[in-house]
Amino acid sequence: TRVNVFRFDAWNLKLLDINGAAQVFVEEEPGVGDLNSSALALQLSRLLGVAMATVPMGQRQVTPLALRATRALEDLNNQQVDDLLDQMKSHIAAAGFKDAGIQPMGGSEEAIAEWTSVNMLMGCFQPGLRGVHSPVAIVDLGGATVQIAYYLHDRQASEAKRKHLDGYISRIKLPFGSGPVHIYRHSYGGYGLYSAKVRSYKEIEQAGFGLKRHPCLPSGISASLRVQRRAVVAEGAMNRFSCATLIDYILHKELPCMKDGQAAGPPKMGNCSFAGAWMGPGPGPQKVVLASYFYDRMRDVGMVSNYSQTIR
């Protein structure tokens, strides 16, 4: 569970710093789906406290606060999700912010929101300009999903529709009245930083291995993960060739992404990627922004420095 606080210029919506930083960001483990009522209340109180300490009291009534629940709630039934959201509503209402809604958010919605946010912050669409200029593609590694989104020309969107692949395409309205555009977007559920590890635990035996000798964990360690709300322990037996075999298995590249096993058409329309998903025609010359855990992990190993855009 995390809180992000941003500050914008009210006239042109340019992002402003907060005490020299681009945002205020705080996260806590575990997520709300793993908390009971009392623990949830404490976690929300701490995170709301961060927002309240950042936004002056006089500005809270005009500062939107949006809460979105993602695939972290997928193991809960509908009644549990509704009860959880109702509890969060009561805590947030007391903070005095402008209500921007509390609701579940699907993977495709996340991909669209991130594409729009990043391209707006990079100046790809602006007040007074029609259309999008030099858009960037987004690949986001979250805890539960990997999401990709990129701009499509209208002719590419039309071709996808003719191939019955328009389920991967969204027509969205740009901010500032800059007009509508088409984007390709897909969310690979179960392939996030955490959920991919869980998937490896769940499918390791089908891949020909076992939890007593997990080939992707360092030898001699025990690692516990929550699988379907219960703790499962695996023992490490590192072997890079066997690890590659396990990874290849859980990607399920054998699954077709077209109806009746048909190809997408000419190469320009792209092919299947993994887990039965069509990869689209591709971003082509668009620059690709790697977000969230991609950036965090590359920074941790020294491939990028803070605020650097270049991989070493």
Side-chain angles (χ1 to χ4, degrees):
T1 308
R2 48 194 177 266
V3 60
N4 303 74
V5 184
F6 299 95
R7 188 168 73 104
F8 292 90
D9 186 306
W11 291 101
N12 57 27
L13 293 184
K14 286 187 176 180
L15 185 66
L16 304 176
D17 73 286
I18 302 176
N19 297 324
Q23 63 170 310
V24 172
F25 172 77
V26 176
E27 64 178 340
E28 289 196 6
E29 294 286 352
V32 295
D34 291 322
L35 298 175
N36 59 32
S37 295
S38 58
L40 174 63
L42 290 172
Q43 186 181 81
L44 285 177
S45 178
R46 290 190 296 269
L47 294 177
L48 282 172
V50 173
M52 295 170 69
T54 305
V55 180
M57 182 179 295
Q59 293 183 334
R60 290 178 197 161
Q61 288 187 335
V62 294
T63 300
L65 190 153
L67 191 149
R68 299 293 181 262
T70 59
R71 284 183 61 97
L73 301 185
E74 65 178 352
D75 290 335
L76 305 182
N77 61 44
N78 291 338
Q79 186 60 53
Q80 289 173 316
V81 172
D82 289 342
D83 291 345
L84 191 61
L85 295 179
D86 286 341
Q87 185 180 352
M88 290 190 286
K89 286 178 184 178
S90 64
H91 288 288
I92 288 175
F97 289 94
K98 181 180 178 180
D99 182 10
I102 300 174
Q103 62 192 55
M105 189 177 194
S108 293
E109 294 175 286
E110 287 188 75
I112 292 169
E114 184 155 20
W115 183 90
T116 304
S117 300
V118 172
N119 278 274
M120 186 187 78
L121 293 174
M122 297 186 71
C124 300
F125 38 84
Q126 301 175 17
L129 295 177
R130 293 288 295 177
V132 59
H133 306 273
S134 302
V136 298
I138 306 298
V139 184
D140 178 280
L141 176 62
T145 61
V146 175
Q147 281 135 205
I148 180 171
Y150 56 83
Y151 169 81
L152 288 179
H153 292 286
D154 290 344
R155 64 180 182 277
Q156 292 175 310
S158 297
E159 180 70 13
K161 186 174 183 178
R162 285 194 293 271
K163 297 291 183 181
H164 306 290
L165 294 165
D166 46 321
Y168 292 89
I169 311 300
S170 288
R171 186 175 186 268
I172 63 173
K173 291 183 179 180
L174 297 176
F176 315 122
S178 298
V181 296
H182 289 97
I183 66 168
Y184 167 92
R185 81 291 178 276
H186 184 66
S187 177
Y188 293 90
Y191 289 95
L193 184 70
Y194 181 82
S195 61
K197 298 175 187 176
V198 172
R199 183 181 289 273
S200 77
Y201 278 35
K202 292 169 67 175
E203 300 186 19
I204 191 167
E205 292 185 359
Q206 297 95 303
F209 305 100
L211 287 171
K212 293 295 184 181
R213 293 186 60 81
H214 195 301
C216 299
L217 294 177
S219 299
I221 75 157
S222 297
S224 176
L225 290 177
R226 291 179 66 83
V227 178
Q228 296 176 333
R229 301 178 70 84
R230 65 185 181 89
V232 176
V233 178
E235 306 288 337
M238 175 63 70
N239 182 295
R240 64 189 181 97
F241 299 107
S242 298
C243 181
T245 299
L246 175 59
I247 292 172
D248 190 64
Y249 178 85
I250 67 176
L251 287 175
H252 294 295
K253 291 183 285 186
E254 79 283 359
L255 295 177
C257 64
M258 310 302 162
K259 292 182 179 179
D260 303 321
Q262 296 178 348
K268 66 180 181 180
M269 285 303 294
N271 297 293
C272 299
S273 54
F274 62 93
W278 178 56
M279 66 185 296
Q286 298 173 49
K287 292 183 178 179
V288 177
V289 174
L290 301 179
S292 300
Y293 282 123
F294 279 124
Y295 174 82
D296 292 342
R297 292 301 182 260
M298 288 191 290
R299 181 195 57 196
D300 292 345
V301 299
M303 292 179 68
V304 297
S305 58
N306 283 339
Y307 309 115
S308 171
Q309 296 181 350
T310 304
I311 297 177
R312 291 198 289 270

